Amino acid sequence: KKGMDRGLYPTYYLHLDNEKKVFLLAGRKRKKSKTSNYLISIDPTDMSRDGENFIGKLRSNLMGTKFTVFDNGVNPDRANSEWTNARQELAAIIYETNVLGFKGPRKMTVLIPGMNEESERVPIRPRND
């Protein structure tokens, strides 16, 4: 950890740990965000939204109970008229709230888009932010 930002905006790493540890992706909490918002990159040294290694982001609601994973497309408000460059939702994660604020594991539901007959992911593009 270096500098003041490392504690407030931590970076997380995902590795595949077989016989050899293989780096898969990294995520870093974004600055100036009201909710938890993480940038996801396939290069642990390039955590830039404008970089070629940026693959998407993870965003939560205010309560931290609903998370959405987006690809690297643009916000629907800035998309072209055909929506071909609009971001896609890749997954949604929903946590049940803890009764009486108890700590510990919560029930989690994960939603991912289905596949079509050609074994391709069905694109899901939100029409608004």
Side-chain angles (χ1 to χ4, degrees):
K1 293 184 178 185
K2 296 178 184 173
M4 286 289 292
D5 286 351
R6 293 294 180 213
L8 299 172
Y9 306 103
T11 301
Y12 299 93
Y13 303 96
L14 178 65
H15 293 90
L16 177 62
D17 200 0
N18 285 348
E19 289 128 36
K20 183 177 157 185
K21 196 174 192 180
V22 179
F23 171 79
L24 297 176
L25 58 86
R28 187 186 72 220
K29 189 167 184 175
R30 298 192 58 207
K31 301 175 185 178
K32 299 179 184 176
S33 183
K34 294 179 182 114
T35 60
S36 291
N37 194 335
Y38 292 84
L39 179 139
I40 302 170
S41 174
I42 55 173
D43 183 346
T45 61
D46 179 14
M47 299 298 290
S48 164
R49 185 181 173 117
D50 297 325
E52 63 182 40
N53 297 304
F54 170 68
I55 59 169
K57 71 178 186 174
L58 170 77
R59 187 171 69 189
S60 80
N61 67 350
L62 195 59
M63 298 289 295
T65 56
K66 296 178 183 176
F67 294 81
T68 306
V69 180
F70 296 101
D71 70 0
N72 59 356
V74 300
N75 183 308
D77 296 336
R78 295 185 212 112
N80 61 29
S81 59
E82 292 85 38
W83 291 83
T84 54
N85 67 337
R87 66 181 175 214
Q88 295 184 45
E89 293 183 12
L90 303 178
I93 302 100
I94 304 160
Y95 287 98
E96 282 189 13
T97 54
N98 283 340
V99 179
L100 302 175
F102 289 126
K103 301 286 183 194
R106 299 180 286 172
K107 184 176 178 185
M108 175 176 45
T109 302
V110 178
L111 306 169
I112 56 173
M115 305 290 274
N116 64 19
E117 292 80 26
E118 289 82 35
S119 298
E120 298 168 331
R121 182 177 42 84
V122 175
I124 298 176
R125 289 187 169 90
R127 295 290 179 161
N128 57 26
D129 196 25

